[in-house]
Amino acid sequence: QPIGAEALFINFTFESGREVEPEVYPRPDGTVYVCGEAESIPVPPSASEVTVNEELCARIEVMAASIASSLKDAPVLSRQACYLPVGPDNSPIIGSVPGTPGLFVATGHTCWGILNGPATGKALAELIVTGNASTVDLKPYSPARFMAGSRRSSKA
């Protein structure tokens, strides 16, 4: 049967009681991308050192089969590792880098970058061109918050 175009964001509880938040993305070619087993590990220094955690992938398959019966016997086309950019305080980092004129960053959106990217791009372009973002208040996301002596860096 055809798969709908709606993405699903789910709270899932394993029999053990552990809770996760998988995401299910149907694609136009009829395949379905399922993700959602977070793992806090550093990005390896080289792409050749990236490995796929087979245990996490197996749990994602269990979740997918529980979420949709049509996914129970669906073939797995690929398994992959995903590294999400996230700042130390779990908020995006957007703005000019203190002490380095002309250097700007926009990162740390986690999985929401695809949604927030357009507004971030517009606000960062305003900041670069005019020196001030009018679309979004970037102060809470400033890289300066991580500088020694800033009010937020002492709380983080």
Side-chain angles (χ1 to χ4, degrees):
Q1 67 183 352
I3 295 175
E6 296 80 18
L8 301 175
F9 300 91
I10 302 165
N11 292 324
F12 184 91
T13 305
F14 283 97
E15 289 180 10
S16 67
R18 192 169 61 82
E19 296 181 4
V20 295
E21 296 178 347
E23 299 170 8
V24 181
Y25 299 94
R27 294 180 169 164
D29 65 1
T31 61
V32 177
Y33 178 80
V34 183
C35 62
E37 274 283 344
E39 186 178 33
S40 294
I41 58 174
V43 176
S46 167
S48 65
E49 297 177 50
V50 172
T51 60
V52 173
N53 184 322
E54 296 295 335
E55 183 181 333
L56 291 182
C57 289
R59 290 198 301 248
I60 289 172
E61 290 177 43
V62 168
M63 285 187 289
S66 297
I67 292 167
S69 59
S70 61
L71 298 177
K72 184 177 181 181
D73 297 317
V76 175
L77 302 179
S78 67
R79 291 177 176 88
Q80 59 194 30
C82 235
Y83 293 91
L84 293 174
V86 60
D89 61 356
N90 294 318
S91 290
I93 304 166
I94 309 166
S96 60
V97 177
T100 310
L103 179 61
F104 298 84
V105 296
T107 187
H109 292 79
T110 70
C111 60
W112 298 106
I114 199 162
L115 176 69
N116 295 325
T120 297
K122 182 175 182 181
L124 194 59
E126 292 169 345
L127 181 63
I128 292 168
V129 172
T130 69
N132 186 40
S134 60
T135 300
V136 175
D137 178 10
L138 295 180
K139 287 181 191 78
Y141 310 111
S142 172
R145 72 187 190 267
F146 301 112
M147 305 301 287
S150 76
R151 286 189 347 187
R152 283 188 64 186
S153 71
S154 61
K155 295 179 184 178

